[in-house]
Coordinates of all heavy atoms in Angstrom, one line a residue:
M220 N 99.3 92.8 104.3 CA 99.5 94.2 104.2 C 101.0 94.5 104.1 O 101.7 93.7 103.5 CB 98.9 94.9 105.4 CG 97.4 94.7 105.6 SD 96.5 95.3 104.2 CE 96.2 97.0 104.7
L221 N 101.4 95.6 104.7 CA 102.9 95.9 104.6 C 103.6 95.2 105.8 O 103.0 94.8 106.8 CB 103.0 97.4 104.8 CG 102.4 98.3 103.8 CD1 102.5 99.7 104.2 CD2 103.0 98.1 102.5
I222 N 104.9 94.9 105.5 CA 105.7 94.3 106.6 C 105.7 95.2 107.8 O 105.9 96.4 107.6 CB 107.1 94.0 106.0 CG1 107.9 93.1 107.0 CG2 107.9 95.2 105.7 CD1 107.8 91.7 106.8
P223 N 105.6 94.7 109.0 CA 105.7 95.5 110.2 C 107.0 96.2 110.3 O 108.0 95.6 109.9 CB 105.4 94.6 111.3 CG 104.6 93.4 110.7 CD 105.2 93.3 109.3
V224 N 107.1 97.4 110.8 CA 108.4 98.1 111.0 C 109.3 97.3 111.9 O 110.5 97.2 111.7 CB 108.2 99.5 111.4 CG1 109.5 100.2 111.7 CG2 107.4 100.3 110.4
R225 N 108.7 96.8 113.0 CA 109.5 96.1 114.0 C 109.0 94.7 114.2 O 107.9 94.4 113.9 CB 109.4 96.8 115.4 CG 110.1 98.2 115.4 CD 110.0 98.8 116.7 NE 110.7 100.1 116.8 CZ 111.9 100.2 117.2 NH1 112.6 99.1 117.7 NH2 112.5 101.4 117.2
C226 N 109.9 93.8 114.6 CA 109.6 92.4 115.0 C 108.6 92.5 116.2 O 108.8 93.2 117.1 CB 110.8 91.7 115.4 SG 110.5 90.0 116.1
W227 N 107.5 91.7 116.1 CA 106.5 91.8 117.1 C 107.0 91.3 118.5 O 106.5 91.7 119.5 CB 105.3 90.9 116.7 CG 104.5 91.5 115.6 CD1 104.4 92.8 115.3 CD2 103.7 90.8 114.6 NE1 103.6 93.0 114.2 CE2 103.1 91.7 113.8 CE3 103.5 89.4 114.4 CZ2 102.3 91.4 112.7 CZ3 102.6 89.1 113.4 CH2 102.1 90.1 112.5
S228 N 107.9 90.4 118.5 CA 108.4 89.8 119.7 C 109.5 90.5 120.4 O 109.5 90.8 121.6 CB 108.8 88.3 119.5 OG 107.7 87.6 119.0
C229 N 110.6 90.8 119.6 CA 111.8 91.4 120.2 C 111.9 92.9 120.0 O 112.7 93.6 120.6 CB 113.0 90.7 119.8 SG 113.5 91.0 118.1
G230 N 111.2 93.5 119.0 CA 111.2 94.9 118.7 C 112.3 95.3 117.8 O 112.5 96.5 117.6
K231 N 113.1 94.4 117.2 CA 114.1 94.8 116.3 C 113.5 95.4 115.0 O 112.5 94.9 114.5 CB 115.0 93.6 116.0 CG 116.2 93.9 115.1 CD 117.0 92.7 114.9 CE 118.2 93.1 113.9 NZ 119.2 92.0 113.9
V232 N 114.1 96.5 114.5 CA 113.6 97.1 113.3 C 114.0 96.1 112.1 O 115.1 95.7 112.0 CB 114.3 98.5 113.1 CG1 113.8 99.1 111.8 CG2 114.0 99.4 114.2
I233 N 113.0 95.8 111.4 CA 113.2 94.8 110.3 C 112.7 95.3 108.9 O 113.2 94.8 107.9 CB 112.4 93.5 110.6 CG1 110.9 93.8 110.7 CG2 112.9 92.8 111.8 CD1 110.1 92.5 110.8
A234 N 111.8 96.3 108.9 CA 111.2 96.7 107.6 C 112.2 97.2 106.6 O 112.0 97.0 105.4 CB 110.1 97.7 107.8
H235 N 113.3 97.8 107.0 CA 114.2 98.4 106.1 C 115.0 97.4 105.3 O 115.6 97.7 104.3 CB 115.2 99.3 106.8 CG 116.1 98.6 107.8 ND1 115.6 97.9 108.8 CD2 117.4 98.5 107.8 CE1 116.7 97.4 109.5 NE2 117.8 97.7 108.9
K236 N 114.9 96.1 105.7 CA 115.6 95.0 105.0 C 114.7 94.2 104.1 O 115.1 93.3 103.4 CB 116.3 94.1 106.0 CG 117.4 94.8 106.8 CD 118.6 95.0 106.0 CE 119.7 95.5 106.9 NZ 121.0 95.7 106.1
Y237 N 113.4 94.5 104.1 CA 112.4 93.6 103.5 C 112.6 93.6 101.9 O 112.6 92.5 101.4 CB 111.0 94.1 103.8 CG 109.9 93.1 103.3 CD1 109.9 91.8 103.7 CD2 109.0 93.6 102.3 CE1 108.9 90.9 103.2 CE2 108.1 92.7 101.8 CZ 108.0 91.4 102.3 OH 107.1 90.5 101.8
Q238 N 112.8 94.7 101.3 CA 113.0 94.7 99.8 C 114.2 94.0 99.4 O 114.3 93.3 98.4 CB 113.0 96.2 99.3 CG 112.8 96.3 97.8 CD 111.6 95.6 97.3 OE1 110.5 95.9 97.8 NE2 111.7 94.7 96.3
E239 N 115.3 94.2 100.2 CA 116.5 93.5 100.0 C 116.3 92.0 100.1 O 116.8 91.2 99.2 CB 117.6 93.9 101.0 CG 119.0 93.9 100.6 CD 119.9 94.5 101.7 OE1 119.5 95.5 102.3 OE2 121.0 94.0 101.8
Y240 N 115.5 91.5 101.0 CA 115.2 90.1 101.2 C 114.4 89.6 100.0 O 114.7 88.6 99.4 CB 114.4 90.0 102.5 CG 113.7 88.6 102.6 CD1 114.4 87.5 103.0 CD2 112.3 88.5 102.3 CE1 113.8 86.3 103.1 CE2 111.7 87.3 102.5 CZ 112.4 86.2 102.8 OH 111.8 84.9 102.9
L241 N 113.4 90.4 99.6 CA 112.6 90.0 98.4 C 113.4 89.9 97.1 O 113.3 88.9 96.4 CB 111.5 91.0 98.2 CG 110.3 91.0 99.2 CD1 109.3 92.0 98.8 CD2 109.7 89.6 99.3
D242 N 114.3 90.8 96.9 CA 115.1 90.8 95.7 C 116.1 89.6 95.7 O 116.2 89.0 94.7 CB 116.0 92.1 95.6 CG 115.1 93.3 95.4 OD1 113.9 93.2 95.0 OD2 115.6 94.5 95.7
A243 N 116.7 89.3 96.8 CA 117.6 88.2 96.9 C 116.9 86.8 96.7 O 117.3 86.0 96.0 CB 118.3 88.2 98.2
V244 N 115.7 86.7 97.3 CA 114.9 85.5 97.2 C 114.4 85.3 95.7 O 114.4 84.2 95.2 CB 113.7 85.4 98.1 CG1 112.8 84.3 97.8 CG2 114.3 85.3 99.6
E245 N 114.1 86.4 95.1 CA 113.6 86.4 93.7 C 114.8 86.0 92.8 O 114.5 85.4 91.7 CB 113.1 87.7 93.3 CG 112.3 87.7 92.0 CD 111.5 89.0 91.7 OE1 110.8 89.4 92.6 OE2 111.7 89.5 90.6
E246 N 116.0 86.3 93.1 CA 117.2 85.9 92.3 C 117.4 84.4 92.5 O 118.2 83.8 91.7 CB 118.4 86.6 92.8 CG 118.5 88.1 92.4 CD 119.7 88.8 93.0 OE1 120.6 88.1 93.5 OE2 119.7 90.0 92.9
G247 N 116.7 83.7 93.4 CA 116.9 82.3 93.6 C 117.7 81.9 94.8 O 118.0 80.7 94.9
K248 N 118.2 82.9 95.6 CA 119.0 82.5 96.8 C 118.1 81.9 97.8 O 116.9 82.1 97.9 CB 119.6 83.8 97.3 CG 120.7 84.4 96.4 CD 121.3 85.6 97.0 CE 122.3 86.2 96.0 NZ 122.7 87.5 96.4
D249 N 118.7 81.1 98.7 CA 118.0 80.4 99.8 C 117.6 81.4 100.8 O 118.4 82.3 101.3 CB 119.0 79.4 100.4 CG 118.3 78.7 101.6 OD1 117.3 78.1 101.4 OD2 118.9 78.8 102.7
A250 N 116.3 81.4 101.2 CA 115.7 82.4 102.1 C 116.4 82.4 103.4 O 116.7 83.4 104.0 CB 114.2 82.1 102.3
G251 N 116.8 81.2 103.9 CA 117.4 81.1 105.2 C 118.8 81.8 105.2 O 119.2 82.5 106.1
Q252 N 119.5 81.6 104.1 CA 120.9 82.1 104.0 C 120.8 83.6 103.8 O 121.6 84.4 104.4 CB 121.6 81.5 102.8 CG 123.0 81.9 102.7 CD 123.9 81.6 103.9 OE1 123.7 80.5 104.4 NE2 124.7 82.5 104.4
V253 N 119.8 84.1 103.1 CA 119.6 85.5 102.9 C 119.3 86.2 104.2 O 119.9 87.3 104.6 CB 118.4 85.8 101.9 CG1 118.1 87.3 101.9 CG2 118.8 85.3 100.5
L254 N 118.5 85.6 105.1 CA 118.2 86.2 106.4 C 119.4 86.2 107.3 O 119.7 87.2 108.0 CB 117.1 85.4 107.1 CG 115.7 85.7 106.4 CD1 114.7 84.7 107.0 CD2 115.2 87.1 106.7
H255 N 120.2 85.2 107.2 CA 121.5 85.1 107.9 C 122.4 86.3 107.4 O 123.0 87.0 108.3 CB 122.2 83.8 107.7 CG 123.5 83.7 108.4 ND1 123.6 83.4 109.7 CD2 124.7 83.8 107.9 CE1 124.8 83.4 110.1 NE2 125.6 83.6 109.0
D256 N 122.5 86.5 106.1 CA 123.4 87.5 105.6 C 122.9 88.9 106.0 O 123.7 89.8 106.1 CB 123.5 87.4 104.1 CG 124.1 86.1 103.6 OD1 124.8 85.5 104.5 OD2 124.0 85.7 102.4
L257 N 121.6 89.1 106.1 CA 121.0 90.4 106.5 C 121.1 90.6 108.0 O 120.8 91.7 108.4 CB 119.5 90.5 106.1 CG 119.3 90.5 104.5 CD1 117.8 90.5 104.3 CD2 119.9 91.7 103.9
G258 N 121.5 89.6 108.7 CA 121.8 89.8 110.2 C 120.6 89.5 111.0 O 120.5 89.9 112.2
F259 N 119.7 88.7 110.5 CA 118.6 88.2 111.4 C 118.8 86.8 111.8 O 118.7 85.8 111.1 CB 117.3 88.3 110.6 CG 116.9 89.7 110.2 CD1 117.0 90.2 108.9 CD2 116.5 90.6 111.2 CE1 116.7 91.5 108.6 CE2 116.1 91.9 110.9 CZ 116.3 92.4 109.6
E260 N 119.2 86.7 113.1 CA 119.6 85.4 113.6 C 118.5 84.8 114.5 O 118.3 83.6 114.6 CB 120.8 85.5 114.5 CG 122.1 86.0 113.7 CD 122.5 84.9 112.7 OE1 122.3 83.7 112.9 OE2 123.0 85.4 111.7
R261 N 117.7 85.7 115.2 CA 116.6 85.2 116.0 C 115.4 84.7 115.2 O 115.1 85.3 114.2 CB 116.2 86.3 117.0 CG 117.2 86.6 118.0 CD 116.6 87.7 119.0 NE 116.6 89.0 118.3 CZ 117.4 90.0 118.6 NH1 118.2 89.9 119.6 NH2 117.2 91.1 117.9
Y262 N 114.8 83.6 115.6 CA 113.7 83.1 114.8 C 112.5 83.9 114.9 O 111.6 83.8 114.0 CB 113.5 81.6 115.2 CG 113.0 81.3 116.6 CD1 111.7 81.5 117.0 CD2 113.9 80.7 117.5 CE1 111.4 81.2 118.3 CE2 113.6 80.5 118.8 CZ 112.3 80.7 119.2 OH 111.9 80.4 120.4
C263 N 112.4 84.7 115.9 CA 111.2 85.6 116.0 C 111.2 86.6 114.8 O 110.2 87.0 114.2 CB 111.1 86.3 117.3 SG 112.5 87.4 117.7
C264 N 112.4 87.1 114.5 CA 112.6 88.1 113.4 C 112.5 87.4 112.0 O 111.9 87.9 111.1 CB 113.9 88.8 113.5 SG 114.2 89.7 115.0
R265 N 113.0 86.2 112.0 CA 113.0 85.5 110.7 C 111.6 85.1 110.3 O 111.3 85.1 109.1 CB 113.9 84.2 110.8 CG 115.4 84.5 111.1 CD 116.2 83.4 111.5 NE 116.4 82.4 110.5 CZ 117.5 82.4 109.7 NH1 118.4 83.3 109.9 NH2 117.6 81.5 108.8
R266 N 110.8 84.8 111.3 CA 109.4 84.4 110.9 C 108.6 85.6 110.4 O 107.6 85.4 109.7 CB 108.7 83.8 112.1 CG 108.5 84.7 113.3 CD 107.2 85.4 113.4 NE 107.2 86.5 114.2 CZ 106.8 86.6 115.5 NH1 106.3 85.5 116.0 NH2 106.9 87.7 116.2
M267 N 109.0 86.8 110.7 CA 108.4 88.0 110.2 C 108.5 88.1 108.7 O 107.6 88.5 108.0 CB 108.9 89.2 110.9 CG 108.8 89.3 112.3 SD 107.1 89.4 112.9 CE 106.7 91.1 112.5
F268 N 109.7 87.6 108.2 CA 109.9 87.6 106.8 C 109.3 86.4 106.1 O 108.6 86.6 105.1 CB 111.4 87.6 106.5 CG 112.1 88.9 106.8 CD1 112.6 89.1 108.1 CD2 112.2 89.9 105.9 CE1 113.2 90.3 108.4 CE2 112.9 91.1 106.1 CZ 113.4 91.3 107.4
V269 N 109.5 85.3 106.6 CA 109.0 84.0 106.0 C 107.5 83.9 106.0 O 106.9 83.5 105.0 CB 109.7 82.8 106.7 CG1 109.2 81.5 106.1 CG2 111.2 82.9 106.6
G270 N 106.9 84.4 107.1 CA 105.4 84.3 107.2 C 104.7 85.4 106.6 O 103.4 85.4 106.7
H271 N 105.3 86.4 106.1 CA 104.6 87.6 105.6 C 104.1 87.4 104.2 O 104.7 86.9 103.4 CB 105.6 88.8 105.6 CG 104.9 90.1 105.2 ND1 104.0 90.7 105.9 CD2 105.0 90.8 104.0 CE1 103.5 91.8 105.2 NE2 104.2 91.8 104.1
I272 N 102.8 87.8 104.1 CA 102.2 87.8 102.7 C 101.8 89.2 102.4 O 101.1 89.9 103.1 CB 100.9 86.9 102.7 CG1 101.3 85.5 103.1 CG2 100.2 87.0 101.4 CD1 100.1 84.6 103.3
D273 N 102.3 89.7 101.3 CA 102.0 91.1 100.9 C 100.6 91.2 100.3 O 100.4 90.7 99.2 CB 103.0 91.5 99.8 CG 103.9 92.6 100.3 OD1 103.6 93.3 101.3 OD2 105.0 92.8 99.8
L274 N 99.7 91.8 101.0 CA 98.3 91.9 100.5 C 98.0 93.3 100.1 O 96.8 93.6 99.8 CB 97.4 91.4 101.6 CG 97.4 89.9 101.9 CD1 96.5 89.6 103.1 CD2 97.0 89.1 100.7
I275 N 98.9 94.2 100.2 CA 98.6 95.6 99.9 C 98.0 95.8 98.5 O 97.0 96.6 98.3 CB 99.8 96.6 100.1 CG1 99.4 98.0 100.1 CG2 100.9 96.3 99.1 CD1 98.5 98.4 101.2
D276 N 98.4 95.1 97.5 CA 97.9 95.2 96.2 C 96.5 94.6 96.1 O 95.7 95.0 95.2 CB 98.8 94.5 95.2 CG 100.1 95.2 95.0 OD1 100.2 96.4 95.3 OD2 101.1 94.6 94.7
E277 N 96.1 93.7 97.0 CA 94.8 93.2 97.0 C 93.8 94.1 97.7 O 92.6 94.2 97.3 CB 94.8 91.8 97.8 CG 95.8 90.8 97.3 CD 95.4 90.3 95.9 OE1 94.2 90.2 95.6 OE2 96.4 90.0 95.1
V278 N 94.3 94.8 98.7 CA 93.4 95.7 99.5 C 93.3 97.1 98.9 O 92.2 97.7 99.0 CB 93.9 95.8 100.9 CG1 93.1 96.7 101.8 CG2 93.9 94.4 101.5
A279 N 94.3 97.6 98.3 CA 94.4 99.0 97.8 C 93.2 99.4 96.9 O 92.7 100.5 97.0 CB 95.7 99.3 97.1
P280 N 92.7 98.5 96.0 CA 91.6 98.9 95.1 C 90.3 99.2 95.9 O 89.5 99.9 95.4 CB 91.4 97.7 94.2 CG 92.7 97.0 94.2 CD 93.3 97.2 95.6
F281 N 90.2 98.7 97.1 CA 89.0 99.0 97.9 C 89.1 100.2 98.8 O 88.2 100.5 99.6 CB 88.7 97.7 98.8 CG 88.5 96.5 97.9 CD1 89.5 95.5 97.8 CD2 87.3 96.4 97.2 CE1 89.2 94.4 97.0 CE2 87.1 95.3 96.4 CZ 88.1 94.3 96.3
S282 N 90.3 100.9 98.8 CA 90.4 102.0 99.6 C 89.7 103.2 99.0 O 89.4 103.3 97.8 CB 91.9 102.4 99.8 OG 92.5 102.7 98.6
I283 N 89.3 104.2 99.9 CA 88.5 105.3 99.4 C 89.5 106.4 98.8 O 90.5 106.7 99.4 CB 87.8 105.9 100.6 CG1 86.9 104.8 101.2 CG2 87.0 107.1 100.2 CD1 86.2 105.2 102.5
E284 N 89.1 106.9 97.7 CA 89.9 108.0 97.1 C 89.7 109.2 98.0 O 88.7 109.5 98.4 CB 89.4 108.3 95.7 CG 89.9 107.3 94.7 CD 89.6 107.7 93.3 OE1 89.8 108.9 93.0 OE2 89.2 106.8 92.5
R285 N 90.8 109.9 98.1 CA 90.8 111.1 99.0 C 90.5 112.3 98.1 O 91.0 112.4 97.0 CB 92.2 111.3 99.7 CG 92.4 110.2 100.7 CD 93.6 110.4 101.4 NE 93.8 109.3 102.4 CZ 94.8 109.3 103.2 NH1 95.7 110.2 103.2 NH2 94.9 108.2 104.0
Q286 N 89.7 113.2 98.6 CA 89.4 114.4 98.0 C 90.5 115.4 98.3 O 90.9 115.6 99.5 CB 88.1 115.0 98.4 CG 86.9 114.1 98.2 CD 86.6 113.9 96.7 OE1 86.7 114.8 96.0 NE2 86.2 112.7 96.3
Q287 N 91.1 116.1 97.3 CA 92.1 117.0 97.5 C 91.6 118.4 97.9 O 90.6 118.8 97.4 CB 93.0 117.2 96.3 CG 93.8 115.9 96.0 CD 94.9 115.6 97.0 OE1 95.4 116.5 97.6 NE2 95.2 114.3 97.2
Ligands
ZN358 ZN1 112.6 89.4 116.7

């Protein structure tokens, strides 16, 4: 689904850096170095990025359309 707003273990806000992380990794930069540059030193926060799988595009077609 969507990246959690905060790290599950330490509570640091992480979601605001997710798109920046994705863009840098897509450019071919090393994921570990990108996380270091973004200021994520603790491995609990780093695993939130590395272990995340974006499934929103897979799930969204099954959501119910809202009546306006
Ligand atoms: Zn953390």
Side-chain angles (χ1 to χ4, degrees):
M220 298 299 269
L221 299 172
I222 186 94
V224 173
R225 292 179 176 266
C226 172
W227 289 333
S228 298
C229 71
K231 181 175 181 172
V232 178
I233 59 170
H235 65 299
K236 297 284 187 178
Y237 186 62
Q238 192 60 50
E239 208 172 324
Y240 166 79
L241 287 181
D242 293 344
V244 169
E245 193 169 311
E246 286 176 13
K248 294 180 182 169
D249 179 57
Q252 186 61 43
V253 170
L254 288 171
H255 179 80
D256 295 343
L257 291 175
F259 295 106
E260 298 296 330
R261 290 183 288 250
Y262 61 78
C263 60
C264 302
R265 296 167 72 93
R266 63 98 200 260
M267 300 296 286
F268 289 89
V269 176
H271 180 71
I272 300 171
D273 247 339
L274 291 177
I275 191 66
D276 292 333
E277 306 292 327
V278 176
F281 300 104
S282 63
I283 300 170
E284 284 188 41
R285 294 185 180 182
Q286 300 292 325
Q287 294 290 331

